[in-house]
Amino acid sequence: MNAPLGGIWLWLPLLLTWLTPEVNSSWWACSQGEVKSCSCDPKKMGSAKDSKGIFDWGGCSDNIDYGIKFARAFVDAKERKGKDARALMNLHNNRAGRKAVKRFLKQECKCHGVSGSCTLRTCWLAMADFRKTGDYLWRKYNGAIQVVMNQDGTGFTVANERFKKPTKNDLVYFENSPDYCIRDREAGSLGTAGRVCNLTSRGMDSCEVMCCGRGYDTSHVTRMTKCGCKFHWCCAVRCQDCLEALDVHTCKAPKNADWTTAT
Ligand SMILES: *[C@@H]1O[C@H](CO)[C@@H](O)[C@H](O)[C@H]1NC(C)=O
């Protein structure tokens, strides 16, 4: 599997920064109209027009431009020191990440007027549900484009000319990720031998994908679980112990490789 891990891991902290209360609270409180001295977007004032007609900017719009500037200064700082391929790649992916966040900024409106007739509308811009941005980035991650440094080392071009050139929205990478199927300590890959897989899943955790076509072993195990739990007034939950039998599937090791000894 090819993956621009370096980039992802560098801008993930930035996205998480937005989710942590300290940084996010002013914006959050902002769009909820809870605080006066928040960093609302000063450009979203007065009236404006969209496909449904004229509306007033109201409440407080998430100040995405401020957030983006902050993120650029904060996350890109490390990469600006070096001028190697990795730094170039990370700067590109950081920007693509920021653009993704901005892409899903959405306009929310509230209708006023006689019984909500919407003769008067106030709107504001709000950050989208984070899941939406995440799904979008996951697709970009899976479609990341391999690039090579250009001659003078100032940028990069697509590695295989049969593929499309990366746009500013695409994620890029220089090197293939290690083969996660095989144990390679130097590359930080533990391999998947011995991993528990899911026989009914069709995703990454399925026995087919996770075991990389090597097959799996099945063992029958019984385990103790809590069952028949009842709530007793007040306040305790009492359960019975039940024995549960289930099959556990684990990935086979590659043939003629002594992965068990290489700890
Ligand atoms: C296995 O995969 C199925 C289908 O995706 C899912 O419903 C189930 O919860 C999974 N089981 C475990 C133990 O993760």
Side-chain angles (χ1 to χ4, degrees):
M1 185 178 309
N2 301 332
L5 272 182
I8 298 280
W9 295 116
L10 271 165
W11 52 253
L12 257 189
L14 134 74
L15 296 174
L16 292 176
T17 314
W18 272 330
L19 293 178
T20 54
E22 297 81 43
V23 178
N24 203 25
S25 61
S26 67
W27 288 3
W28 179 245
C30 224
S31 25
Q32 305 295 305
E34 275 164 16
V35 276
K36 289 195 188 81
S37 62
C38 63
S39 58
C40 306
D41 190 341
K43 291 193 289 286
K44 298 290 180 287
M45 300 267 260
S47 50
K49 207 177 159 187
D50 67 4
S51 59
K52 286 186 196 146
I54 292 177
F55 64 86
D56 281 331
W57 286 117
C60 174
S61 292
D62 280 336
N63 196 347
I64 191 79
D65 289 332
Y66 173 79
I68 295 261
K69 251 185 228 152
F70 173 83
R72 190 188 299 137
F74 186 74
V75 183
D76 283 359
K78 184 173 158 245
E79 308 302 336
R80 298 213 182 277
K81 290 195 194 105
K83 266 282 169 223
D84 58 347
R86 200 174 182 83
L88 272 177
M89 172 185 82
N90 286 336
L91 285 173
H92 176 97
N93 288 341
N94 291 351
R95 183 177 55 190
R98 289 192 298 267
K99 285 172 77 76
V101 172
K102 197 162 180 174
R103 163 184 293 253
F104 291 106
L105 203 62
K106 63 174 189 284
Q107 184 175 320
E108 291 180 343
C109 296
K110 202 172 180 176
C111 282
H112 314 278
V114 191
S115 60
S117 61
C118 224
T119 45
L120 219 84
R121 248 182 343 135
T122 41
C123 301
W124 61 94
L125 289 181
M127 304 255 299
D129 175 18
F130 195 68
R131 155 72 52 184
K132 228 173 147 180
T133 316
D135 285 346
Y136 171 81
L137 286 171
W138 174 241
R139 286 200 302 279
K140 287 285 175 196
Y141 174 90
N142 284 324
I145 296 166
Q146 188 166 26
V147 290
V148 289
M149 204 78 165
N150 64 14
Q151 296 278 306
D152 49 4
T154 53
F156 42 73
T157 52
V158 61
N160 184 335
E161 277 169 15
R162 285 188 300 126
F163 294 135
K164 71 169 184 122
K165 286 200 176 75
T167 67
K168 285 180 180 174
N169 295 316
D170 293 317
L171 298 177
V172 300
Y173 65 97
F174 279 101
E175 286 167 38
N176 287 341
S177 295
D179 184 347
Y180 295 119
C181 291
I182 306 164
R183 187 186 188 94
D184 180 349
R185 296 207 341 194
E186 210 153 289
S189 169
L190 294 170
T192 58
R195 288 273 301 271
V196 173
C197 60
N198 185 332
L199 200 54
T200 52
S201 163
R202 306 180 124 241
M204 303 281 270
D205 61 340
S206 69
C207 291
E208 200 152 320
V209 173
M210 189 187 273
C211 304
C212 311
R214 297 187 307 258
Y216 55 88
D217 297 315
T218 302
S219 52
H220 308 283
V221 297
T222 48
R223 68 176 178 194
M224 202 71 99
T225 54
K226 298 285 174 206
C227 61
C229 296
K230 282 209 178 83
F231 178 73
H232 293 267
W233 190 266
C234 182
C235 295
V237 177
R238 296 205 187 95
C239 300
Q240 287 169 305
D241 290 326
C242 288
L243 271 181
E244 184 190 32
L246 72 165
D247 291 339
V248 174
H249 313 285
T250 48
C251 292
K252 283 186 193 292
K255 289 214 171 63
N256 57 47
D258 58 343
W259 64 277
T260 40
T261 55
T263 43

